[in-house]
Amino acid sequence: MSWYLLFVAGLFEICWAVGLQYSDGLSKPVPTFGTVVALGISIVLLAQAVEDLPLGTAYAVWTGIGAVGTASLGIVLFDEPATLARIAFIGVIVVGIVGLHLVSGGH
């Protein structure tokens, strides 16, 4: 269950990170509200996950999910560059996330 909570926390991290772009520097009320709500949910779920998972592993996986998702959505939604090198390094983060899951007894 903790890994599931951590995964969902990572998805909400993606939401708040992308929300920052839509909030225009937190100047637009509706996107700012959504960003703050997503941030709160993400932190609460992370806190619940670390009750059973090692903090370092959980934090690395949480930020990794956020980084991969945010970088991917940056390419799709905001026309950020999709170079081969960038995609390869995003893949390296995914390998790190999977590796941490496997060596942490999370399978």
Side-chain angles (χ1 to χ4, degrees):
M1 184 65 162
S2 296
W3 282 101
Y4 173 76
L5 292 173
L6 184 59
F7 178 74
V8 175
L11 295 179
F12 275 99
E13 185 186 4
I14 296 165
C15 293
W16 74 257
V18 171
L20 289 174
Q21 183 72 25
Y22 286 111
S23 73
D24 196 23
L26 303 178
S27 66
K28 295 180 179 175
V30 173
T32 297
F33 178 75
T35 299
V36 171
V37 168
L39 175 59
I41 293 170
S42 182
I43 293 293
V44 167
L45 293 174
L46 175 62
Q48 290 175 344
V50 298
E51 289 179 4
D52 295 320
L53 299 174
L55 174 62
T57 299
Y59 185 75
V61 169
W62 179 68
T63 58
I65 292 169
V68 168
T70 303
S72 300
L73 286 177
I75 291 168
V76 172
L77 298 175
F78 307 121
D79 295 321
E80 294 177 2
T83 64
L84 182 59
R86 188 169 188 202
I87 292 169
F89 286 118
I90 290 170
V92 169
I93 297 170
V94 171
V95 169
I97 292 168
V98 171
L100 284 170
H101 180 69
L102 292 174
V103 300
S104 298
H107 52 284

